[in-house]
Structures are given as structure tokens and as C-alpha cells.
């Protein structure tokens, strides 16, 4: 992205137009490919430089106060201080600060990241178990049929890992701890990398 700067003020945002009019002069779009930065700057066109110092992962933070500034012959896009999203569930309140109830009189809940993450874990576990559910159904309906050991082992491991992950998620005391659970790091070597995350992993398939 580029901007047009006039009298040290950003006056227009430019997204590679077919042509650009500055004052009484129309410039073709080719100037963005053919001209140097200094040549563009000479007519008031500056490429936007993004400063991500304050920008944080949108899955865990709310980024606010996006702003563009021109200083030291450079246009910079930056953000204000990011705000961590809600970690734990909270009761929703109305405009007067009272508990907000739904039409049935139940408390409305503003769910936090922990609940959202645990919901995903449950969905993943359910998806892994679904293809082998028929073994369990058959085992309850057919008297002389036993569910294969590898199936029961797999299903037990899925449930155990699901519980382990939920426990890890619940143990987080702040958003950064929760975020770290999902970050893969190389626990091996550069020659033989092994990427792992702190959060437990589901078994990949039935053995």
C-alpha cells in the first residue's frame, strides 16, 4: 500500500490504481513498478511501512487503534496496545450492570477462550471416535461379539488425551500461557528437528 503525502499530511491511500492524479498531472500505474522510492517520494508518494511492535495474535488479543503516521520521511502503520481476550467465562451484564437473562430466565454467559478451546478439543475427540462408534454399538447388540483390543485402546487414548488437554487449558492463568500451549518448538536438533507443543496430542490413527 502507498499513501499520498501533501504538506506533511497523509491525504490519500493508494492501492495500485490504473493511474493517479496529483495536482494537474496524471501519472500511469507503471510508476509503481518502474520508479525508485526516492522518485515516488519526490511527488509525495510513500510506501507504507508496517510496524508490528504492538500487534498481537488476533486469536488471543484484540488489536486496537490502528493508525498511520508520517515522520522522518516515512509513512508507518502501527497499532496501540493490544487487549487480551477474555480467558474465563463471565456472566453477561445489561447496561445497568445487572445480570443479563435470556427469554427463559437463564443467565447469559460471555464465554472465554478456555471454553472455546475446550469445545474444540471435544469436537476433535468426537470426530476421532465417530468412525469406530459402530464397534461399540455392535459390542452392545451382539452377544458373541467383542470389540477388537486395538479399537478399545485407541478410544481410551483419545478420551485420555482429551481430558489431559482440557486440564492443561484449565490450568492457564493468563492468555499468554494459553497461547504457548499451542506453539510448536523444535525439541530436536537442526539436523533432526522434532516439532512439539506443550499441549497434549491426540493419537493419529487406530493401531
Amino acid at each position: 500500500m502507498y499513501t499520498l503525502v501533501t504538506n506533511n499530511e497523509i491525504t490519500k491511500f493508494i492501492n495500485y490504481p490504473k493511474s493517479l492524479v496529483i495536482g494537474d498531472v496524471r501519472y500511469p500505474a507503471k510508476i509503481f513498478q518502474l520508479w525508485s522510492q526516492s522518485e515516488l517520494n519526490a511527488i509525495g508518494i510513500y510506501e507504507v511501512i508496517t510496524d508490528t511492535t504492538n500487534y498481537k495474535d488476533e486469536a488471543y488479543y484484540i488489536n486496537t487503534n490502528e493508525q498511520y503516521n508520517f515522520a522522518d520521511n516515512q509513512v508507518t502503520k502501527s497499532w496501540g496496545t493490544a487487549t487480551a481476550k477474555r480467558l474465563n467465562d463471565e456472566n453477561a451484564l445489561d447496561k445497568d450492570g445487572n445480570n443479563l437473562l435470556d427469554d427463559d430466565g437463564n443467565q447469559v454467559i460471555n464465554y472465554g477462550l478456555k471454553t472455546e478451546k475446550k469445545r474444540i478439543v471435544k469436537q476433535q475427540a468426537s470426530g476421532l471416535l465417530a468412525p469406530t462408534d459402530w464397534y461399540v454399538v455392535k459390542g452392545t447388540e451382539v452377544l458373541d461379539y467383542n470389540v477388537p483390543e486395538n479399537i478399545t485402546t485407541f478410544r481410551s487414548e483419545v478420551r485420555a488425551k482429551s481430558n489431559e488437554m482440557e486440564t492443561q487449558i484449565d490450568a492457564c492463568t493468563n492468555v499468554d500461557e494459553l497461547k504457548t500451549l499451542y506453539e510448536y518448538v523444535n525439541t530436536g536438533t537442526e539436523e533432526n528437528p522434532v516439532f512439539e507443543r506443550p499441549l497434549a496430542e491426540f493419537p493419529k490413527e487406530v493401531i
Side-chain angles (χ1 to χ4, degrees), residues 58-105:
E58 290 185 338
Y60 300 91
Y61 288 85
I62 300 172
N63 291 291
T64 56
N65 302 327
E66 180 179 303
Q67 55 191 5
Y68 295 82
N69 293 300
F70 177 69
D72 299 325
N73 209 39
Q74 179 175 290
V75 173
T76 304
K77 174 184 178 181
S78 61
W79 288 263
T81 303
T83 302
K85 291 186 176 180
R86 182 183 300 105
L87 184 65
N88 299 298
D89 297 346
E90 296 177 354
N91 288 343
L93 305 177
D94 61 22
K95 62 180 181 179
D96 297 318
N98 300 314
N99 286 339
L100 182 63
L101 307 180
D102 62 19
D103 293 338
D104 296 321

Side-chain angles (χ1 to χ4, degrees), residues 25-190:
V25 181
R26 180 179 294 276
Y27 296 91
K30 288 184 178 180
I31 64 173
F32 294 98
Q33 286 77 44
L34 301 178
W35 287 20
S36 67
Q37 290 297 317
S38 59
E39 289 174 318
L40 291 172
N41 293 167
I43 62 171
I45 298 175
Y46 291 82
E47 185 173 9
V48 176
I49 306 301
T50 302
D51 178 2
T52 59
T53 301
N54 290 332
Y55 187 87
K56 293 194 175 184
D57 190 336
E58 290 185 338
Y60 300 91
Y61 288 85
I62 300 172
N63 291 291
T64 56
N65 302 327
E66 180 179 303
Q67 55 191 5
Y68 295 82
N69 293 300
F70 177 69
D72 299 325
N73 209 39
Q74 179 175 290
V75 173
T76 304
K77 174 184 178 181
S78 61
W79 288 263
T81 303
T83 302
K85 291 186 176 180
R86 182 183 300 105
L87 184 65
N88 299 298
D89 297 346
E90 296 177 354
N91 288 343
L93 305 177
D94 61 22
K95 62 180 181 179
D96 297 318
N98 300 314
N99 286 339
L100 182 63
L101 307 180
D102 62 19
D103 293 338
D104 296 321
N106 300 312
Q107 174 67 52
V108 177
I109 303 297
N110 291 325
Y111 294 106
L113 288 174
K114 285 185 181 180
T115 294
E116 293 178 8
K117 295 295 186 182
K118 289 189 292 183
R119 185 180 295 124
I120 292 172
V121 169
K122 288 182 172 68
Q123 292 172 345
Q124 292 173 332
S126 179
L128 289 169
L129 293 173
T132 58
D133 282 346
W134 69 273
Y135 286 98
V136 178
V137 174
K138 184 176 180 180
T140 60
E141 294 180 348
V142 180
L143 295 179
D144 59 350
Y145 177 79
N146 292 317
V147 179
E149 184 177 352
N150 66 318
I151 299 299
T152 57
T153 298
F154 172 76
R155 293 175 65 86
S156 294
E157 289 180 351
V158 169
R159 288 191 291 271
K161 289 299 181 182
S162 179
N163 291 336
E164 183 180 349
M165 281 187 268
E166 290 194 43
T167 297
Q168 288 179 283
I169 291 169
D170 274 330
C172 293
T173 60
N174 57 60
V175 168
D176 284 336
E177 288 181 8
L178 180 62
K179 182 175 181 293
T180 300
L181 285 180
Y182 290 85
E183 293 177 345
Y184 285 88
V185 296
N186 184 10
T187 59
T189 63
E190 186 174 341

